[in-house]
Amino acid sequence: ASARNCAASSAGERLRNMRLGNNIALEALSKATGIPSRRLAAFENEKSEPCLQELLALSEAFGVTTDYLLKGE
């Protein structure tokens, strides 16, 4: 299943589903985006929200739009 077919109710769940669905470790995503792995984990656990720069880096890393990351659209 592609990332766009992941059914998740929140941005954090979508991010985790895309990462795990693509077999990407937090550390690898951290390296690819420049976002510390602890911060990525906080996004996935809904303890923090990404700033605009981080959101753009994540959307580029997964090849999805920022709307998809935020709203699932």
Side-chain angles (χ1 to χ4, degrees):
S2 74
R4 292 186 181 271
N5 292 331
C6 291
S9 59
S10 71
E13 288 178 81
R14 260 187 303 287
L15 179 57
R16 175 177 280 130
N17 287 343
M18 285 189 297
R19 183 176 63 76
L20 295 177
N22 287 290
N23 267 341
I24 301 171
L26 269 176
E27 295 76 19
L29 185 56
S30 174
K31 217 172 227 190
T33 60
I35 303 169
S37 56
R38 287 180 65 150
R39 188 138 168 83
L40 291 168
F43 299 158
E44 289 185 359
N45 294 315
E46 312 242 337
K47 296 189 185 305
S48 182
E49 293 182 355
C51 71
L52 182 57
Q53 243 84 1
E54 292 165 330
L55 190 60
L56 291 170
L58 290 167
S59 72
E60 288 175 11
F62 286 108
V64 297
T65 64
T66 54
D67 275 356
Y68 178 77
L69 282 176
L70 294 172
K71 303 185 288 185
E73 297 173 359

